Amino acid sequence: MQASDRFNINSQLEHLQAKYVGTGHADLNRFEWAVNIQRDSYASYIGHYPMLAYFAIAENESIGRERYNFMQRMLLPCGLPPERDED
């Protein structure tokens, strides 16, 4: 692998990270990463009707109620953020 290839790969990665929030970046902590994963999952469940219907049947709820529950869970999917140490 040449230096130009490495630069090209890094620039492509930076472009993806700037374009899509969920791809992460160097300063992303574990909590923020988990929140991105959970929100992406809930958005996928809401957007794919068969998956939403599956969850509704499994939890014995209506599809509209499941959609509402998933949207509510998207607000704080992993609970409150941890306290940060200000150095």
Side-chain angles (χ1 to χ4, degrees):
M1 181 179 275
Q2 297 176 351
S4 62
D5 292 339
R6 196 172 304 128
F7 175 75
N8 190 19
I9 291 170
N10 285 336
S11 65
Q12 289 176 0
L13 182 60
E14 288 174 4
H15 174 71
L16 282 176
Q17 290 171 342
K19 188 174 181 182
Y20 301 107
V21 176
T23 55
H25 52 81
D27 297 327
L28 191 71
N29 63 26
R30 183 177 180 163
F31 177 79
E32 292 169 345
W33 177 81
V35 167
N36 284 340
I37 296 298
Q38 288 290 341
R39 286 188 178 151
D40 286 348
S41 297
Y42 289 137
S44 178
Y45 301 155
I46 292 169
H48 293 92
Y49 187 81
M51 194 64 148
L52 187 62
Y54 174 80
F55 281 114
I57 291 170
E59 295 185 10
N60 197 24
E61 293 281 353
S62 69
I63 292 173
R65 173 57 65 180
E66 276 303 303
R67 182 178 287 122
Y68 175 78
N69 288 340
F70 284 145
M71 285 193 281
Q72 289 299 313
R73 291 181 200 160
M74 285 177 75
L75 294 176
L76 288 173
C78 298
L80 294 174
E83 297 291 326
R84 287 197 169 182
D85 295 334
E86 297 296 330
D87 291 344

